[in-house]
Amino acid sequence: MRIAYLLAIVGIILLANFVSSIDFSRTNLPGFVWEGNNEVQFASFANASLCKANLNNLSANTNPPRIPIYFVEGVNVSLMRTAVYTVYDRGVWLEDLSYADQPKIVFGTTYKVTPLVEFRDHIPVVKGTCFVTMKGGYNDSANVFEVSKCRRPYYGFAEVKRVKPTKFAKDGFSKIYMEKEEFEKIRELTLKVTAKAKSDYEKVLAIERFLKDNYVYDFNYTVEGDPVYWFLFVGKRGICKHFASAFVVMCNSIGIPARLVVGYRVKPTPENQTVFADQAHAWAEVKFKEGWIEFDPTPSGFVRKIPTITKVTHVDERIVAGENFTVEGIVEHEKGLVENGFVEIYLKKDKRERGILLGLIPFTEGRFKATLRAPNVTGRYHVVAHFVGSFKYSESWSDPVVEIYERPKLIVNIPERVSKVFTVEGRLSSKSLPAKLEVFVDGRLYRVVETDNGGNFRFDLKLNEGYHDVKIEYRGSNFVLPATYERVIEVGELKVKASKSTLIAGLDNHVAFYVYFNGKPVRNFYVNGLKAEFGGNVTLKPSDVGEFVVNVSAYGFTKKIRFRSVANVRIDYEFNKGLKVYVTDSLGRRVNGTIYVDGKGYELRNGFALIPTNRSVEIYYPGDRYHLPAKVVAKPKPSPLIYAIPFLITLSAFGAFKLYDIYLYDVRVEFDREDPDLPLIWCVNERIGFRVKCRSRYAIKTDGRIEGNTVTFESSGRHRFEVLVLDGRGRVKRRKSYEITIVENYGEAVTVVFKELEETLGSPKSLTAREVVELSKCKLKRTLESLERYVYGKRRDYSRKDFLIAFEEVKSCLRGLPSQH
């Protein structure tokens, strides 16, 4: 376990050193990786389906476009695999692998792959890769990984082994399904090719050399029947998938274990490189005792691709900078249209410059069409359509000339309603500055203004009341389109009316505002920044007395409305050696001035005046500019006893009512028993007599059977006997409850009486009945006999008389016990 931890730490250190050394600045992507500020449209760039090579299907079209699909750094081999096939079925290679093996970290080659399109099913890895930083399945024999999808970068760890092959392995054969006669003919051909080989390794080299020397790498081929048979004996031309498939079938035909591998050709360099879709390749592997060895029977050297012609068939004649335009075209070769691929669209002043890349457009059946956004430039440009090429087609260009115009923006801030004299401000957004603008009012030229170097302008307009049409026009210049601003405005004056002009300080005052523009009501406006409606109440709360201003705003106008705030006045008084008067306002401040007491004036000093009277008088304060008038009638307070009389009357009435209630609804029940202190105990089905004494109507609630003034209980246990006292409306006013104990025989009643003695004495529960009697020092002879015969003798023929005797003896005993008991 310690060794495993140590290896993991060493691996992390090596990985960190590798990541820090990676340089992605050299990506070999002229045209595909744009470093400018313009937005490049990669239409369906992430659609990996157009990048598929179909290398496992020998009859399908193989033409992946020349577009980048991933970056890789740190490889030292020329092939990266994605899938391995071991079943050939009449022209189609099928995968027959399990991906349940456990990946393992090895110390060897470490590399990084950065996808540019979304990988599906498989990811490219180097042969010998045993671990990748990506979740998925793994097949150890084929060194391939299966994923559902992959778009994030990942690292691969590969164990590179260089071996010298000797003998073929005894397993690893592919399954070949084809016509028996055709397969036999391939076997005869292979035996003839390998006849002079002196070792297993030389047999494989002979097959590889035979295919390279006798067959032509050519995109112009037509497959009929079984593709491998057709390639070997009829067409004798094809691409990598035909060479590699023929190699695998030939090897298996004479007992050499071989399989097909597909992936990409790359440069064996540690530096960062870009891998394109048209670098797709197929090769073979042969299994020796030392392991699987790669062989590539495809001829190397220059491959002449099919020439193409790119034509732009339509492009908008006038293009506006920053806006969309459409470009259409075709890509063809001498025999027809190119099946699929990608076209780059550039804008170039000079065809030799790099230009501005606008988009990478996919196409099928030779026709492309795209809506692109023009960059922020003006002038004459070439629209360059560049077919990037593909697996079998060469690249080509088309470059018609277009004119790109700037669409300037004329931004003007004129409100819908203005005063008779107002200021116009605005800005012309253009590259051609400064510029002249013409101002028209009601169709007539009013004036000409000129912008500054930033396009800003400002001028005043003086117009009569009413509606006017104002238009500001820029006529344009070289490669700059005209621009116009036009608006109908209403010139007039804002008028405001308020429902009141005097407000109370310190209180909420509801004021209705009425706002008009040119005599028409304004529905929405603002009072001190708060939204209001026509005729709606606005709450104003002045904090002090005095004059203040409220701002009413609408349509960009502001009107100042003046208000006066005053305070309410409060007059307090007390009779104490004369009449003391205190005058304060609603803000809590003392008020000075003159008050009138029954018409006679008295001066207030610091809000106070002393009046020589003890009788009732009228006090009047006339008010001033910031205080409202106030009046009060001052009356001496009566004796405190006067206030107690109503309370005493109410209390007496309430007490009398409660006493009458107690008297009227009082109730008690008398049961027929030999002694008033005798417990309420009777036997089952024994008739119990009772008498209810109550001055009101009542009802009896019990689970026994009542017959007249008797009640009978049919089961032993505790039973409730309850009397409900009712008023005239039948409502329950009072309840009286009794608990009656019913026993099977009176021996049980004796135990109840004796238990009261035990509880009074506080004797331990472990004592016997005889020990309890001795403890009490009482003569309880008959009670003890009854109790022992009931408990120990199981006697059950007790009568109520036995119960009464036991009760009398115990009662007598309890009277003789000390008072603490």
Side-chain angles (χ1 to χ4, degrees), residues 453-669:
N453 292 332
N456 300 302
F457 59 89
R458 176 189 176 102
F459 61 90
D460 291 333
L461 274 179
K462 184 176 181 181
L463 302 175
N464 297 324
E465 186 176 295
Y467 288 92
H468 298 277
D469 179 78
V470 177
K471 182 168 71 172
I472 302 174
E473 190 172 279
Y474 168 63
R475 295 190 177 275
S477 61
N478 191 28
F479 294 111
V480 181
L481 298 174
T484 301
Y485 172 87
E486 186 172 7
R487 184 165 196 178
V488 175
I489 60 176
E490 184 180 5
V491 180
E493 183 181 358
L494 191 71
K495 294 183 179 180
V496 180
K497 295 180 180 180
S499 60
K500 62 179 72 172
S501 60
T502 301
L503 308 180
I504 307 300
L507 300 179
D508 290 338
N509 299 266
H510 301 296
V511 182
F513 286 88
Y514 302 90
V515 183
Y516 302 87
F517 186 80
N518 284 351
K520 294 176 290 187
V522 178
R523 297 300 175 189
N524 296 300
F525 52 90
Y526 291 86
V527 177
N528 284 345
L530 300 177
K531 189 175 181 180
E533 295 182 357
F534 185 81
N537 286 329
V538 176
T539 301
L540 300 177
K541 186 177 183 180
S543 60
D544 201 353
V545 297
E547 312 290 332
F548 68 97
V549 173
V550 170
N551 294 319
V552 179
S553 303
Y555 302 148
F557 298 87
T558 299
K559 280 285 186 179
K560 295 183 181 295
I561 308 300
R562 294 190 175 276
F563 289 88
R564 180 168 63 95
S565 63
V566 298
N568 282 323
V569 173
R570 176 177 174 177
I571 302 175
D572 295 304
Y573 63 89
E574 65 174 335
F575 286 92
N576 184 9
K577 296 180 181 180
L579 175 61
K580 296 179 179 180
V581 179
Y582 307 90
V583 182
T584 56
D585 64 15
S586 56
L587 300 176
R589 294 180 294 199
R590 297 177 180 179
V591 177
N592 293 319
T594 303
I595 61 172
Y596 295 89
V597 180
D598 282 347
K600 185 177 180 180
Y602 293 89
E603 195 71 20
L604 289 169
R605 296 183 182 276
N606 198 21
F608 173 77
L610 178 63
I611 313 300
T613 183
N614 288 314
R615 61 184 179 83
S616 297
V617 294
E618 180 186 80
I619 304 172
Y620 174 69
Y621 172 72
D624 58 21
R625 179 171 178 77
Y626 297 116
H627 293 91
L628 296 176
K631 182 172 26 176
V632 67
V633 175
K635 296 181 180 180
K637 293 183 179 179
S639 173
L641 293 177
I642 294 177
Y643 298 106
I645 293 174
F647 173 75
L648 294 175
I649 294 173
T650 302
L651 183 62
S652 299
F654 179 77
F657 175 78
K658 292 300 292 183
L659 290 174
Y660 178 73
D661 184 77
I662 294 172
Y663 171 77
L664 182 63
Y665 298 114
D666 183 42
V667 62
R668 59 193 179 90
V669 179

Side-chain angles (χ1 to χ4, degrees), residues 220 306-311 330-340 363 365-367 387 393:
N220 292 311
I306 301 172
T308 62
I309 300 174
T310 299
K311 297 178 182 178
I330 61 172
V331 181
E332 59 184 356
H333 57 91
E334 61 180 2
K335 293 184 179 180
L337 298 174
V338 174
E339 306 93 89
N340 58 66
F363 70 87
E365 298 180 358
R367 301 185 184 277
F387 170 51
Y393 293 107

